[in-house]
Amino acid sequence: MNTFKKFGQHPKIILAALAIFMIGAFAGSWTAALDGHLPFTAKPVLEEVSHAANLGTAPDVSFSQGFAPVAKRVIPAVVNIASSKVVRRPDAGSGAPQFSDPFFRQFFGNDAPNMFNMPKEQRQHALGSGVIVSADGNILTNNHVIDGATDIKVTLSDNREFKAKVVGTDPRADIAVLKIDAGNLPVVPMGKSAEMEVGNFVLAVGNPFGVGRTVTMGIISATRRGNLGIEDYEDFIQTDAPINPGNSGGALVNMRGELIGINTAILTGGGGGSQGVGFAVPIDMARAEMDQILKHGKVIRGYLGVQVQPVTADMAKVFGLQKAEGAIVADVTPDSPAAKSGLQRGDVIVDLNGARVEDSRQLSLSISQMAPGTNVKVTLQRDGKMMDRSVTLGELPSNVASTAPEAGTTGPHLGISVESLTPQISRQLGLPAATSGIAITQIESGSAAEEAGLHRGDVIQQVNRKPVGTPDEFVTAVRAGGTQPVLLLIERGGDHLYLVVTPH
């Protein structure tokens, strides 16, 4: 299970030929690929980098020097971060859970936990990395590196130590900005992550496992990675540069020594260490977040007021779309900008300000990077017709998630049992009294419903865009579709989403 952790000829002739080939290959491709960058780390040990401009860019890399000129430029601006916080044990006040058992109480009384010297509070420590982004002491890192910390210590490359204060954080993108009281510090120049391409060389710089500043090399394996479930807002750079716990918040730089990403997470594959699949927040995103934190003390995002989900191939057929592109509106928040502009559940957003919407993640990212008050033009498809809506964005509330849960796929023998929503069932499911639809009470193992991602307790509210309120209406609506995929609108945990069930 994958786990993310916020990677017959003469010997002399052969050797000579190999040497000529290697020199030619490196000389020809070294400078051409010197713009790469990489991502990294693991939750709960993610990392990121910073940027600046007083170090200048590194000279061209030569075969004899390797990556030394780049490393020399970057290492002085990467810091080690040690944080600590006091946590209270969940069973504090009662010792270990077993001591609340009457069996123990009759022998030891209420003093049982104290007999075993079990502390109620413990201090947790964390190690990570950070990047100096301004000569007067601003440092860019991951939020998870310092989340909840009461003490933060920053160690520079010259071994000077400073207490740091938190300027601001954004847990949704795992970015934090710290400040230390120091001046004339080295900084890394910022690059442009949008210019990076798959195959570019990159270096990751950080403090893995607390052993000290370490430089590793790799390439960009992919860009614009998302839907990983690591953060609310994901647009990661993927790299195979070895990154490990402690690298979180460290720098990912190209071959000019420019910051292109903040190392954040790794896919461990259950092994706990680098498996060659690391992720970094692109510097274009991190820089925009940092600028807002420095200006406002927090990140302010645009707010449309819809829950969206991806368009699968099956959904594209049901909605009459030519391609599996765009974002399906699974729900519209009452009194939100979207609601006031006439957007409806079941709309498929295909363009934003004239630019094609590839998927729901891209739409969420685009809206989040706009300022409240921005007027946007949304092009959508509704019941086979294209239409435009003008929406003035609001400010994203602190309790609103970026997207609705993702949907699976599913179909005429669905393999489910349903019941009408009685007051008793509504109370059991924690539903508001006004909730309409029918409740799924049972799902057959291996059925189309199970494959589609339906859960026991889901409330089906629509079948093929038509409301259903009783089991009979549900059966009639499903049968009317014949052997075609069935589009369901369900409510789950207060969220709405569409699922397509394809009959077996």
Side-chain angles (χ1 to χ4, degrees), residues 37-39 193 220 222-223 235-239 252 260-261 278-280 282:
H37 57 262
L38 33 126
S193 53
I220 295 177
T223 60
D235 198 29
F236 293 122
I237 296 168
Q238 181 182 327
T239 183
L252 184 67
I260 58 166
F279 302 97

Side-chain angles (χ1 to χ4, degrees), residues 91-379:
D91 55 351
S94 61
Q98 60 267 29
F99 293 129
S100 61
D101 191 293
F103 174 80
F104 283 93
R105 293 298 177 190
Q106 70 178 357
F107 289 102
F108 300 110
N110 293 329
D111 293 330
N114 297 329
M115 298 174 61
F116 295 86
N117 297 319
M118 300 178 68
K120 296 181 179 180
E121 295 182 338
Q122 295 179 336
R123 181 169 289 275
Q124 289 185 349
H125 300 271
L127 292 175
S129 306
V131 183
I132 302 173
V133 294
S134 69
D136 60 352
N138 288 319
I139 296 170
L140 187 60
T141 186
N142 284 135
N143 173 72
H144 76 264
V145 170
I146 53 87
D147 186 30
T150 53
D151 297 290
I152 303 173
K153 182 178 70 175
V154 170
T155 304
L156 306 185
S157 60
D158 59 9
N159 293 323
R160 286 185 293 166
E161 295 183 354
F162 295 88
K163 279 193 171 184
K165 68 175 183 178
V166 178
V167 179
T169 67
D170 179 31
R172 286 175 167 170
D174 201 11
I175 293 294
V177 179
L178 309 180
K179 182 73 167 65
I180 61 174
D181 187 12
N184 196 29
L185 297 174
V187 295
V188 181
M190 288 208 184
K192 295 181 179 179
S193 53
E195 296 179 353
M196 297 298 101
E197 297 179 349
V198 174
N200 287 155
F201 280 125
V202 288
L203 299 183
V205 186
N207 180 28
F209 299 109
V211 300
R213 286 167 188 80
T214 301
V215 179
T216 55
M217 182 273 288
I219 64 169
I220 295 177
S221 304
T223 60
R224 307 213 61 191
R225 283 288 194 229
N227 297 326
L228 302 175
I230 302 175
E231 312 298 347
D232 282 348
Y233 294 97
E234 299 178 341
D235 198 29
F236 293 122
I237 296 168
Q238 181 182 327
T239 183
D240 68 346
I243 48 182
N244 291 283
N247 279 107
S248 290
L252 184 67
V253 300
N254 61 23
M255 293 301 101
R256 293 193 295 267
E258 297 169 335
L259 186 64
I260 58 166
I262 299 295
N263 297 325
T264 296
I266 59 173
L267 180 64
T268 65
S274 175
Q275 302 292 315
V277 182
F279 302 97
V281 177
I283 196 58
D284 293 351
M285 175 187 285
R287 175 166 42 196
E289 297 247 329
M290 181 188 70
D291 290 344
Q292 287 210 49
I293 289 174
L294 292 175
K295 183 177 181 180
H296 306 291
K298 63 177 182 178
V299 175
I300 300 174
R301 291 187 167 92
Y303 174 57
L304 184 58
V306 295
Q307 290 181 342
V308 291
Q309 64 182 82
V311 178
T312 65
D314 285 338
M315 287 184 178
K317 294 177 183 178
V318 173
F319 280 89
L321 301 171
Q322 294 182 350
K323 297 181 179 179
E325 294 181 343
I328 299 174
V329 177
D331 206 359
V332 179
T333 304
D335 298 322
S336 67
K340 294 175 182 177
S341 299
L343 270 71
Q344 299 178 8
R345 184 182 298 158
D347 289 344
V348 181
I349 300 175
V350 295
D351 285 281
L352 179 67
N353 287 336
R356 179 172 59 93
V357 173
E358 297 178 2
D359 53 34
S360 56
R361 180 179 66 91
Q362 181 207 3
L363 176 65
S364 297
L365 282 171
S366 298
I367 295 295
S368 73
Q369 293 168 359
M370 297 179 183
T374 301
N375 189 267
V376 299
K377 185 180 79 169
V378 174
T379 302

